[in-house]
Amino acid sequence: MTLELGKLGFGTWAMGGPFSGPDGLPVGWGPADDGESVKALRRAVELGVTLFDTADVYGCGHAETVVGQAFAGMRDQVLIATKWGCGFDAASKRMTGNEGSVAYLRRAVEGSLRRLGTDRIDLYQLHVGDLALEEAALLRDECEALVAAGKIRAYGWSTDDVERARFFCEGEHGIAAQADINLLFDNPSMYAEEFAVLCRRPLAMGLLARETFGVLPADDVRVTNPSWLRFFVDGRPSPAYFEAREAVRDVLTSGGRTLVQGALAWFWARSPRLVPIPGVRTVAQVEENARALEFGPLSEVELKQVEAVLRPQS
């Protein structure tokens, strides 16, 4: 079973607004403007982008609600991917811990369908990256039952572990993984497989998108230094990754591309299985990202130049 995911999707983590992890530290991207979010999502469809990735935990339900509002009346024009597995309390806007049970999956899918205002989810993804395969097998079976019931069309696993991703995609309707991949942090073993890979953090959480970096709000996840955060330290770009970006800037911005458009062009040159899903929250961001499609992939020469600088031993 396949879905036509396209070459580019958009992520909605930032559209969820502020929320916190189980430890109380912020894991959102600061305040969000729901009106602008809705305009941005609709503008994306006008520009030919039809894949939208969200999660029930983003804003503790709020991002899914915004996505549902944006696509009311145009549901058949878009593909909605969402995730489950991170428990949360909507009232306090706080995560409560990972949930890997079948019972939680059954509750979670109903909650997502309600918030999204839809009768089906196109791609449903497990959001617990390190779950044991024994537990994942039960969830995979339940996902097949949800396909049979018409509540989801396909499923995948958001994990950076290729064995886990492959395991989920061995199911009849398992079609994709979601992994942390960008030109500064590659994971080629993930897309050596037969399934599609939605690439989260394709712009390195803004490092490949912004020319200058001011003071980030205190409720921005890039300030709080979670263990998985690679590209920022104390709200500032990581020096090592910033230097790597600057080393390939000229190649990325050749031919009239912006830095963002060059960073996205890298994916399409690297592998046809890669689908970058940069996070957006404004119309301007949508328009700049979508214009990368007009430029297309880096040329073979440009790709080799980038790889020679960033991964000279590979």
Side-chain angles (χ1 to χ4, degrees):
M1 190 270 177
T2 59
L3 293 176
E4 291 297 326
L5 299 177
K7 294 181 179 297
L8 177 68
F10 285 134
T12 63
W13 181 6
M15 291 181 180
F19 67 112
S20 63
D23 56 6
L25 293 176
V27 289
W29 290 67
D33 180 333
D34 291 351
E36 181 70 10
S37 295
V38 168
K39 290 177 183 177
L41 293 170
R42 292 176 178 169
R43 180 60 174 149
V45 178
E46 292 174 353
L47 295 172
V49 178
T50 57
L51 172 65
F52 300 90
D53 179 75
T54 190
D56 57 4
V57 76
Y58 294 166
C60 295
H62 189 65
E64 285 188 329
T65 299
V66 170
V67 170
Q69 291 171 349
F71 298 134
M74 52 190 298
R75 176 66 181 88
D76 292 342
Q77 298 179 46
V78 299
L79 294 177
I80 295 176
T82 192
K83 311 178 202 69
W84 90 93
C86 298
F88 62 91
D89 177 68
S92 64
K93 296 286 186 179
R94 186 165 179 166
M95 297 171 64
T96 56
N98 291 338
E99 299 280 357
S101 70
V102 171
Y104 186 83
L105 166 56
R106 290 171 178 166
R107 295 196 304 273
V109 72
E110 297 300 334
S112 287
L113 289 169
R114 183 181 67 254
R115 286 184 293 271
L116 291 165
T118 185
D119 61 353
R120 81 280 187 191
I121 294 165
D122 297 298
L123 178 61
Y124 204 34
Q125 303 158 100
L126 175 58
H127 208 177
V128 185
D130 59 354
L131 195 69
L133 293 183
E134 293 80 6
E135 296 173 272
L138 300 176
L139 298 178
R140 188 179 64 184
D141 290 346
E142 183 61 23
C143 282
E144 286 292 339
L146 291 173
V147 171
K151 294 183 177 182
I152 69 174
R153 296 177 65 196
Y155 55 85
W157 195 339
S158 180
T159 178
D160 293 323
D161 181 87
V162 68
E163 181 184 1
R164 287 179 166 87
R166 185 189 308 116
F167 179 80
F168 234 48
C169 286
E170 287 172 355
E172 181 181 355
H173 295 87
I175 67 164
Q178 185 170 145
D180 202 2
I181 296 174
N182 57 60
L183 68 87
L184 300 177
F185 186 83
D186 200 3
N187 185 0
S189 64
M190 186 65 73
Y191 51 93
E193 303 292 326
E194 294 300 317
F195 46 78
V197 182
L198 277 62
C199 301
R200 59 176 127 83
R201 296 191 271 275
L203 300 178
M205 300 189 74
L207 182 57
L208 292 167
R210 298 174 59 176
E211 292 294 340
T212 60
F213 297 87
V215 178
L216 295 172
D219 53 1
D220 190 304
V221 67
R222 292 170 289 184
V223 174
T224 61
N225 299 323
S227 60
W228 48 263
L229 183 67
R230 296 187 178 94
F231 309 110
F232 285 78
V233 179
D234 297 326
R236 302 293 299 172
S238 163
Y241 284 114
F242 183 82
E243 290 172 9
R245 181 192 90 167
E246 291 303 292
V248 295
R249 167 190 287 279
D250 287 348
V251 179
L252 297 178
T253 57
S254 62
R257 293 181 298 243
T258 64
L259 182 64
V260 165
Q261 292 158 357
L264 293 175
W266 174 85
F267 288 93
W268 304 321
R270 197 77 172 96
S271 171
R273 294 196 180 94
L274 298 180
V275 183
I277 50 170
V280 293
R281 48 181 161 182
T282 69
V283 171
Q285 289 172 337
V286 163
E287 290 176 341
E288 182 178 12
N289 281 262
R291 188 152 187 261
L293 292 167
E294 298 177 20
F295 287 98
L298 296 180
S299 69
E300 184 177 347
V301 170
E302 290 169 335
L303 177 62
K304 287 180 178 178
Q305 289 174 330
V306 169
E307 293 302 305
V309 171
L310 298 180
R311 286 166 282 275
Q313 303 305 318
S314 61

